[in-house]
Amino acid sequence: LKETEFKDMYNELEGAFVQDCLIETDLEILIPDSYVSNIAERVNLYKELDGLEKEEELNAFEDQLIDRFGPIPPATQEMIRALKLRWIAKAIGLEKVVMKQKKLICYFISNQDSPYYQSPSFTKVLSYVQHNPTRCKLKERNGKLSLVYENVSSIIQAIELLGGI
């Protein structure tokens, strides 16, 4: 029932307005075959990583990678950071984050009638935008609201920006 008839009320009570956030980037974020040569093993690692929900679980995952395969390559480190970015974005109320050509575009919930837009979470976003007019812009295009940052070249930088909201 919490996922059907009482979905809006449950999400509002829990503060979880977004079930998942899609990250789209032109950065290299992957487990290279030179690091984990077995395809099935890489697929299992991707699945395991996608299922992580807490910082402690992520730290244990990183320790497991180092223990089994050695030092984590940069592309895999970026992939791990992308998961952290996804957690932050989801908490803010973002359905999609696009990070391409040094531009970070964060898309809010597409349902304009969502209670999210009357929530303290969205009020916090609006306050952040008002206090940082040179850092980011709030835009609406084709009925979709987005938050846009220029000159963002790394996932670490994106995490710092969104973490400040």
Side-chain angles (χ1 to χ4, degrees):
L1 286 173
K2 72 181 181 184
E3 292 177 3
T4 55
E5 291 181 38
F6 298 106
K7 180 180 174 184
D8 291 336
M9 184 176 80
Y10 181 77
N11 284 344
E12 188 172 341
L13 292 173
E14 291 295 309
F17 295 99
V18 177
Q19 297 303 315
D20 199 8
C21 178
L22 175 67
I23 304 287
E24 196 176 297
T25 183
D26 58 3
L27 300 173
E28 187 175 34
I29 56 171
L30 54 83
I31 301 171
D33 57 357
S34 60
Y35 186 58
V36 179
S37 58
N38 184 302
I39 294 171
E41 184 67 30
R42 274 198 317 274
V43 169
N44 287 335
L45 290 170
Y46 284 126
K47 286 180 184 177
E48 184 179 344
L49 182 65
D50 189 50
L52 302 180
E53 295 180 0
K54 298 177 186 167
E55 189 78 29
E56 303 83 40
E57 294 172 340
L58 188 58
N59 292 336
F61 180 82
E62 288 180 86
D63 290 344
Q64 174 191 346
L65 284 180
I66 294 168
D67 187 46
R68 292 178 64 198
F69 306 105
I72 300 173
T76 306
Q77 289 173 339
E78 283 292 275
M79 183 182 65
I80 290 167
R81 290 180 190 123
L83 180 61
K84 290 180 184 181
L85 177 63
R86 190 169 107 191
W87 291 344
I88 293 168
K90 185 177 164 186
I92 292 170
L94 303 174
E95 289 183 333
K96 183 177 180 180
V97 173
V98 177
M99 196 172 148
K100 293 184 177 180
Q101 300 173 342
K102 294 192 175 195
K103 189 182 259 189
L104 177 65
I105 307 171
C106 308
Y107 293 93
F108 291 95
I109 295 171
S110 39
N111 177 5
Q112 295 175 349
D113 296 327
S114 170
Y116 169 75
Y117 292 107
Q118 283 76 44
S119 73
S121 297
F122 187 65
T123 302
K124 194 173 178 182
V125 170
L126 292 176
S127 176
Y128 174 82
V129 172
Q130 287 175 340
H131 288 92
N132 296 281
T134 58
R135 181 179 270 179
C136 60
K137 303 277 187 251
L138 201 57
K139 296 184 178 183
E140 184 176 359
R141 193 164 150 195
N142 299 327
K144 290 191 176 188
L145 190 62
S146 63
L147 184 62
V148 180
Y149 294 87
E150 301 286 340
N151 299 316
V152 180
S153 56
S154 72
I155 292 180
I156 289 176
Q157 190 178 5
I159 289 171
E160 289 171 0
L161 290 169
L162 294 182
I165 295 179

